[in-house]
Amino acid sequence: MPDLKVLLSRDQIAKRVAEMGEEIARDYRGQSIIFVGVLKGAAVFLSDLARHVPLDATFDFIGVSSYGNRPTPKEDPAGHAAWDSLGEVRVTKDMDNSLTDRHVILVEDILDTGLTLNYITKLVEAHQPKSLCIAALLDKPSRRKQPIKAKYIGFTIPDVYVVGYGLDYAERYRNLPDICVIENP
Ligand code: 5GP
């Protein structure tokens, strides 16, 4: 059985997500926004975050996957290095709405190497939005390969592999209410 150690409790997450929502609501007061969630990991975060933003808002989602299979920490003989995105990202579900002239908030579960968000940001910019920013629940700045910065960050965490609150390990654990470090997976 894998060992799951709570890194961020559901209470810590709820408090921080509420603060992030209030910050967004202040910054975009009087404006309409569109939240674009990156599937699947950001779905849980987006649904909680958006309920703390009492503005005129719509949702959209983009699905992406890295080319090739990203090894899980267990399969990766070189340790965690190969959790990296492979740099080439493939869109598995495009956005449904035009983002032209919209205030877009890209919602991501975790900002790691930055390769995924670098790719998605370029896609969104091609729509010529009125503004674009990133809200990431977690940030692992020590792993960054692309100079991507999120305007809103929930928690900065060390270089550990986490699951829960939308984040998976081989598609499991997304439904855990806490964010946990997974050991011996
Ligand atoms: P990046 O392109 O920034 O390296 O990768 C971002 C994506 O990698 C995240 O959306 C997530 O799918 C995955 N990822 C990065 N670190 C972790 C982690 O600690 N746990 C999980 N479950 N996924 C991660």
Side-chain angles (χ1 to χ4, degrees):
M1 271 299 279
D3 198 5
L4 297 170
K5 290 208 174 70
V6 175
L7 179 69
L8 297 163
S9 71
R10 62 200 78 184
D11 292 345
Q12 285 174 288
I13 298 167
K15 183 167 175 283
R16 186 68 193 116
V17 171
E19 288 168 358
M20 293 174 83
E22 285 157 20
E23 218 178 310
I24 291 171
R26 265 198 311 274
D27 292 351
Y28 289 86
R29 195 154 58 101
Q31 319 258 30
S32 297
I33 54 177
I34 179 162
F35 291 104
V36 178
V38 184
L39 293 172
K40 303 170 191 167
V44 176
F45 173 44
L46 186 149
S47 72
D48 282 348
L49 179 69
R51 282 178 285 174
H52 288 285
V53 182
L55 299 178
D56 179 42
T58 51
F59 291 2
D60 206 336
F61 292 93
I62 182 168
V64 291
S65 76
S66 299
Y67 276 113
N69 287 324
R70 184 193 305 237
T72 61
K74 189 181 181 184
E75 293 161 354
D76 173 13
H80 63 248
W83 310 350
D84 292 2
S85 311
L86 302 176
E88 291 182 66
V89 180
R90 178 166 61 96
V91 173
T92 55
K93 188 222 161 280
D94 202 356
M95 292 160 291
D96 299 325
N97 299 277
S98 163
L99 304 178
T100 306
D101 222 21
R102 308 286 308 274
H103 290 296
V104 178
I105 301 183
L106 260 179
V107 182
E108 177 62 305
D109 50 5
I110 183 164
L111 183 46
D112 189 27
T113 63
L115 294 167
T116 307
L117 275 177
N118 184 51
Y119 181 85
I120 295 174
T121 300
K122 286 189 186 137
L123 279 186
V124 173
E125 274 167 353
H127 286 243
Q128 299 189 298
K130 196 180 277 177
S131 71
L132 170 62
C133 77
I134 294 169
L137 179 65
L138 304 175
D139 186 16
K140 284 188 204 171
S142 61
R143 302 242 311 148
R144 200 76 86 251
K145 290 187 173 167
Q146 288 286 338
I148 290 277
K149 282 211 169 78
K151 182 171 182 190
Y152 306 99
I153 291 171
F155 301 91
T156 299
I157 63 167
D159 182 7
V160 288
Y161 195 86
V162 288
V163 295
Y165 197 73
L167 288 148
D168 75 312
Y169 173 82
E171 290 299 325
R172 295 177 65 204
Y173 307 112
R174 293 192 196 275
N175 57 330
L176 291 179
D178 306 306
I179 291 176
C180 302
V181 177
I182 188 163
E183 283 165 10
N184 308 314

